[in-house]
Structures are given as structure tokens and as C-alpha cells.
């Protein structure tokens, strides 16, 4: 089992990033409530494609748990039955988790794909944990942390349900993002720890401390970014998509902190880049970090100066999570030095 662990961990990491990408697409399209229940979608394992599937009609068979929209409310079938000529309320119960009762086929399937990728990542992380048992005698930490990641992905699924039940509460969305980053960091640690390669990095205490600082700042920056996104979404609701130029006309304080922090992160990583080059420390991952920071800043500028071009917001988030992953791996390399 041991020989399959690293491949399983890498596959899981890719799937987690796909979940993040899918989640960013959900936010970009406003599809967060495309499936108003959990874990099914309108009571179906494969969601509906037409409002007719969610409309009560006489002489139609329903299965327990299936959902209809009637009188702007969600109704859940109490059992398996065939409808009569009139609506019998005793056969149904009101959905009480929230009062959101809209259907948009596109949004439903975008959210469904997000959940599907999430489910696949859950299967992958479980298989990774099973394979980690092969390390029990040689390195118990790998096995224990692998099973801890299974618990985390389960908690993440539970959080996803809370996000839906709260009708996309911003605080819960932020926590959801934080847990995703923790899972990314844990998987990267497991991949690095399982690799039995000899490195040629030179030890430098200052470099190591600054890398840790930039990693923490990036984490905070992503959290701040979710708050800025919340502000932008609120402004868009007030002004409409045809007034995007006005969205950041009078931005919140968090926006200024977020923007200024990006310059601090750039400066610190430029310091790391020059120190690595001048002292020949051997940390090639800093080149990846600098590239990602450059593209990240450009995407941020595009949003501010060009009124949020299409897909710029999800791209900005995805780049930030990739940056966090690269910095995490870089920090682990600084620990593993001569």
C-alpha cells in the first residue's frame, strides 16, 4: 500500500484544487444556491434540468425526499406516492432549513458539479488514508495526519451544508475557504514528508523566518480577500452589473488593507528571491512564488482598473490558493536543510 500513497496524495491535492476552482466558478456565476438542499439537489442524486421536474402535476409519481416548488416554497415528499387530481398537503412537508425557492438549471448544474468534484476528493482522500497504513511502522505521523485529513474533509462537507442552509452566510463561506487551505497545507506536508529524496538546500535562518512570515501573510490576505469579495457582491446587488465601474468608488477599509498587504508580500518575497540568488541557497520554488505573485497582482489591478473583467475574480482566488500552496512547500523545504 505504501507505494501508492504519494500518487494518491498528489491526486487528492489536484482534486482539492479543482474543488476550489469549481467553488470560484460557483461564486462567479452566483450559483451557490443552485441546489437548495444537501447532499442531494432538489431531492435528486442527479439534479433536474427543467422546472417541470419540480412542478406538481396530477397523476405523477414521486419518491420520498423529492422536492417541488409550489407557492414560492419548497415542499418535500413524505413518501412514495402518485398524485391525485388535487394537491394533498398531507403528502408533503415544508422544507424548513431556509425559504429560498428558486430554480435555474444552469446554476443548479454548476453547483452540482462543484459537489461532485468535492465528493470525488473525499473518496480520493479516504483512499490516500488507507494507503498511509503502510507507513504505520516506519512513520506513524504520516498515517495519523492522513486520517486527520479524512476528518477534515468530512468537516468541510458538513460546513458546505451549513453554507447552503444559511443561504450563503459570508462568515460561513470564509470558514469554508480557511478549511480548504488547511487541507491543502496538510496534503502538501504529507507529499513532502513521503518523498525520500536528498536535498541540496543551504540553511539560512533569516530566509526560513521570512518565508514563514510571507506564508502567514498570504493566508491572512486570502481571508481578507473573501471579505472584499463579500463587499463587492453586496455593491453589485445594489448597483447592478451595468455599474461595475462604481463598485469600488468608495471601498471599505478592508479593501485598502488587502491592497496594501499585497505590496508588503511582494516586497518580502522579492527579498527572499534576491537572498536565495545571492547566497545560492538552492530554493527554486521561490521562482514559482514570484511568478504567481506577479500574475496575482496583475489580476487584482485588472479588477480595479478595468471594472472586473470576466473571470477575473475567480482567477484571482485560484492564483492566491496556488501561491499559498507554493509557499507552503517552500517553507517545508527550509525546514529540511543541512
Amino acid at each position: 500500500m505504501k507505494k501508492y500513497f504519494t500518487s494518491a496524495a498528489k491526486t487528492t491535492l489536484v482534486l482539492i484544487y479543482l474543488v476550489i476552482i469549481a467553488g470560484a466558478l460557483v461564486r462567479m456565476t452566483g450559483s451557490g444556491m443552485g441546489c437548495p438542499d444537501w447532499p442531494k439537489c432538489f431531492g435528486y442524486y442527479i439534479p433536474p434540468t427543467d422546472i417541470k421536474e419540480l412542478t406538481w402535476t396530477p397523476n405523477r409519481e414521486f419518491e420520498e425526499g423529492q422536492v417541488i416548488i409550489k407557492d414560492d416554497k419548497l415542499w418535500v415528499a413524505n413518501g412514495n406516492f402518485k398524485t391525485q387530481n388535487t394537491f394533498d398537503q398531507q403528502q408533503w412537508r415544508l422544507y424548513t432549513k431556509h425559504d429560498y425557492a428558486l430554480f435555474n438549471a444552469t446554476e443548479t448544474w454548476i453547483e452540482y458539479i462543484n459537489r461532485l468534484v468535492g465528493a470525488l476528493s473525499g473518496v480520493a482522500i479516504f483512499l490516500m488514508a488507507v494507503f498511509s497504513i503502510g507507513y504505520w511502522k516506519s512513520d506513524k505521523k504520516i498515517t495519523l495526519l492522513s486520517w486527520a485529513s479524512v476528518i477534515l474533509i468530512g468537516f468541510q462537507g458538513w460546513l458546505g451544508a451549513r453554507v447552503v442552509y444559511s443561504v450563503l452566510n459570508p462568515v460561513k463561506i470564509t470558514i469554508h475557504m480557511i478549511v480548504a487551505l488547511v487541507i491543502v497545507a496538510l496534503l502538501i506536508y504529507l507529499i513532502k514528508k513521503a518523498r525520500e529524496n536528498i536535498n541540496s538546500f543551504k540553511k539560512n535562518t533569516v530566509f526560513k523566518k521570512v518565508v514563514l512570515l510571507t506564508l502567514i501573510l498570504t493566508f491572512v490576505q486570502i481571508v481578507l480577500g473573501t471579505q472584499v469579495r463579500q463587499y463587492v457582491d453586496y455593491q453589485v446587488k445594489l448597483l447592478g452589473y451595468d455599474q461595475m465601474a462604481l463598485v469600488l468608488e468608495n471601498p471599505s477599509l478592508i479593501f485598502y488593507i488587502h491592497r496594501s498587504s499585497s505590496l508588503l508580500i511582494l516586497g518580502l518575497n522579492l527579498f527572499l528571491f534576491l537572498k536565495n540568488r545571492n547566497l545560492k541557497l538552492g530554493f527554486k520554488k521561490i521562482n514559482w512564488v514570484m511568478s504567481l505573485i506577479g500574475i496575482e497582482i496583475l489580476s487584482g489591478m485588472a479588477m480595479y482598473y478595468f471594472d472586473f473583467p470576466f473571470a477575473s475574480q475567480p482567477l484571482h482566488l485560484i492564483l492566491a490558493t496556488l501561491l499559498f500552496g507554493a509557499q507552503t512547500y517552500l517553507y517545508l523545504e527550509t525546514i529540511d536543510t543541512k
Side-chain angles (χ1 to χ4, degrees):
M1 290 191 294
K2 187 176 179 180
K3 65 180 180 179
Y4 299 115
F5 176 79
T6 303
S7 296
K10 290 179 179 179
T11 301
T12 303
L13 181 61
V14 170
L15 285 170
I16 292 296
Y17 268 109
L18 287 177
V19 172
I20 293 173
I21 292 170
L25 180 62
V26 166
R27 290 212 66 181
M28 182 186 76
T29 57
S31 304
M33 292 302 293
C35 294
D37 49 339
W38 186 281
K40 295 182 181 180
C41 190
F42 288 103
Y44 293 86
Y45 286 110
I46 299 178
T49 57
D50 193 292
I51 188 62
K52 292 179 181 179
E53 298 176 66
L54 302 174
T55 304
W56 182 91
T57 53
N59 301 314
R60 178 183 166 188
E61 293 185 355
F62 283 94
E63 295 181 4
E64 183 178 358
Q66 288 182 341
V67 176
I68 61 169
I69 299 175
K70 190 176 188 302
D71 301 327
D72 297 324
K73 295 178 182 178
L74 294 176
W75 296 83
V76 185
N78 287 325
N80 300 338
F81 58 84
K82 186 175 183 179
T83 58
Q84 302 301 314
N85 291 327
T86 58
F87 180 77
D88 185 357
Q89 190 168 319
Q90 292 184 348
Q91 295 176 326
W92 304 86
R93 66 181 184 275
L94 276 173
Y95 188 78
T96 57
K97 297 291 186 180
H98 54 72
D99 59 358
Y100 186 93
L102 297 175
F103 173 74
N104 178 297
T106 301
E107 293 179 2
T108 292
W109 275 84
I110 290 173
E111 170 60 14
Y112 174 72
I113 291 171
N114 178 40
R115 294 187 186 186
L116 185 61
V117 177
L120 288 173
S121 68
V123 173
I125 213 166
F126 178 78
L127 289 174
M128 179 196 75
V130 171
F131 295 143
S132 74
I133 295 173
Y135 284 93
W136 183 250
K137 291 183 179 179
S138 59
D139 195 336
K140 289 182 173 60
K141 184 181 286 188
I142 290 179
T143 304
L144 292 173
L145 288 179
S146 294
W147 285 102
S149 67
V150 174
I151 296 173
L152 270 177
I153 202 72
F155 178 63
Q156 182 75 324
W158 179 84
L159 271 177
R162 304 282 82 74
V163 169
V164 172
Y165 296 156
S166 67
V167 193
L168 310 182
N169 178 275
V171 174
K172 290 183 172 65
I173 291 175
T174 299
I175 296 173
H176 201 48
M177 185 72 243
I178 289 172
V179 175
L181 293 177
V182 172
I183 294 173
V184 165
L186 183 55
L187 289 172
I188 290 173
Y189 174 80
L190 288 169
I191 292 169
K192 179 71 172 62
K193 191 167 180 58
R195 293 181 65 182
E196 299 176 355
N197 59 327
I198 300 174
N199 68 71
S200 57
F201 307 128
K202 293 181 182 178
K203 185 176 181 179
N204 188 285
T205 303
V206 174
F207 188 90
K208 176 181 176 180
K209 289 180 178 179
V210 177
V211 169
L212 178 59
L213 175 60
T214 59
L215 176 60
I216 294 171
L217 286 174
T218 297
F219 182 86
V220 174
Q221 186 77 332
I222 293 174
V223 174
L224 288 175
T226 63
Q227 303 306 305
V228 173
R229 177 62 189 266
Q230 175 190 342
Y231 173 80
V232 169
D233 289 347
Y234 177 73
Q235 290 294 99
V236 170
K237 286 182 180 179
L238 288 178
L239 302 171
Y241 286 99
D242 58 338
Q243 298 292 329
M244 294 300 290
L246 302 177
V247 167
L248 291 176
E249 191 173 51
N250 296 295
S252 63
L253 177 61
I254 291 178
F255 168 79
Y256 289 111
I257 296 173
H258 182 67
R259 186 175 65 177
S260 300
S261 297
S262 66
L263 297 177
L264 175 60
I265 292 172
L266 173 62
L268 288 171
N269 280 283
L270 182 59
F271 167 79
L272 292 171
F273 174 79
L274 294 173
K275 195 170 188 66
N276 179 66
R277 188 186 65 179
N278 294 338
L279 298 181
K280 295 181 173 56
L281 300 178
F283 296 101
K284 295 181 180 180
K285 296 294 187 300
I286 189 62
N287 298 329
W288 297 10
V289 169
M290 289 301 298
S291 298
L292 287 167
I293 289 176
I295 302 171
E296 177 76 343
I297 290 176
L298 288 174
S299 69
M301 293 173 64
M303 286 190 290
Y304 184 75
Y305 292 108
F306 299 101
D307 305 331
F308 299 90
F310 177 75
S312 58
Q313 285 183 293
L315 176 63
H316 195 65
L317 172 62
I318 293 163
L319 287 169
T321 56
L322 288 171
L323 172 61
F324 176 79
Q327 288 177 318
T328 299
Y329 202 97
L330 176 61
Y331 177 67
L332 293 174
E333 288 182 334
T334 66
I335 296 175
D336 188 21
T337 53
K338 296 178 181 178

